[in-house]
Amino acid sequence: MLTIKDKTFVPFITADTIQARIQELAGQINQDYATRQPRIIIVLNGAFIFAADLIKHLTITCEITFIRVASYSATQSTGQLKQIIGLNEPVANQDLIVIEDIVDTGFTICEICDQLKAQQPASLSIATLLFKPVALRKPIDLQYVGFEIENRFVLGYGLDYDGLGRNTQDIFVLVEA
Ligand code: IMP
């Protein structure tokens, strides 16, 4: 059990399960991009641990770029988006793989993809550790999904609650009051 501020979280996905799934995802990406040299775009902050573990298993040659957007406050998605920060190189004609921690309403990833597609990349795919299909508000194609989960607030392994709780190996879920 984990208590952060006023909230209690209980174990949800273990470190072993996460790592095994990441190896599978990396295997798929290695196969799919065997003849390409993609640019991996890591969405900070939440995806930093997932991305680090995933890319260690990639055997393809790739470039890595870190971007940020801010769209979330406390436990509810605001739908408010800011511009992508940190995309300093043009991405036209490149094969892009965006790495996200979680797709909830889908607004964040859709906004990122729209902004990237405006530059006309050769291809764009998305790898997300977690996906909440029930919460999705915008249709989106997700090529690499670690785990589909129910519509509950999760924490740890990069994901935060009010900036706290990112530093765990397991993923926890909020105990609803
Ligand atoms: P979306 O725009 O609603 O898809 O939200 C995506 C962003 O909200 C993610 O990149 C996370 O930063 C954050 N988020 C969504 N659901 C959760 C959650 O259950 N725990 C922690 N952060 C979340």
Side-chain angles (χ1 to χ4, degrees):
M1 206 169 84
L2 196 62
T3 302
I4 303 227
K5 291 193 171 175
D6 54 330
K7 307 274 186 222
T8 303
F9 297 85
V10 290
F12 188 53
I13 308 176
T14 66
D16 285 351
T17 307
I18 296 168
Q19 294 305 324
R21 184 70 187 122
I22 284 176
Q23 288 199 28
E24 290 175 359
L25 292 179
Q28 284 174 27
I29 294 173
N30 286 333
Q31 253 182 17
D32 295 348
Y33 288 84
T35 59
R36 291 181 281 176
Q37 191 175 301
R39 178 187 293 275
I40 308 231
I41 299 183
I42 299 171
V43 183
L44 299 174
N45 295 327
F48 78 112
I49 298 182
F50 167 51
D53 283 346
L54 181 72
I55 63 179
K56 280 185 274 186
H57 295 289
L58 295 183
T59 50
I60 49 172
T61 306
C62 56
E63 279 183 85
I64 297 178
T65 299
F66 300 90
I67 63 165
R68 296 181 74 124
V69 287
S71 71
Y72 216 75
S73 97
T75 56
Q76 283 213 322
S77 184
T78 61
Q80 305 279 311
L81 276 168
K82 293 186 181 167
Q83 199 69 13
I84 293 181
I85 305 164
L87 192 68
N88 302 321
E89 313 88 352
V91 296
N93 303 316
Q94 295 179 24
D95 294 299
L96 307 180
I97 307 175
V98 179
I99 303 195
E100 253 291 23
D101 53 355
I102 184 164
V103 175
D104 184 17
T105 62
F107 283 115
T108 308
I109 196 68
C110 283
E111 185 62 36
I112 292 169
C113 289
D114 287 350
Q115 291 186 31
L116 292 173
K117 280 179 188 162
Q119 289 199 35
Q120 302 192 310
S123 69
L124 191 160
S125 66
I126 300 165
T128 184
L129 177 63
L130 301 169
F131 173 39
K132 297 180 186 172
V134 173
L136 195 67
R137 295 284 169 275
K138 295 201 103 184
I140 179 106
D141 262 351
L142 301 171
Q143 288 70 28
Y144 308 100
V145 175
F147 304 94
E148 285 195 5
I149 61 169
E150 39 195 306
N151 193 8
R152 297 170 71 189
F153 189 80
V154 289
L155 172 99
Y157 195 69
L159 292 134
D160 71 307
Y161 166 54
D162 261 0
L164 300 172
R166 295 189 196 273
N167 53 309
T168 66
Q169 298 188 44
D170 304 314
I171 294 173
F172 293 76
V173 68
L174 177 68
V175 179
E176 306 283 352

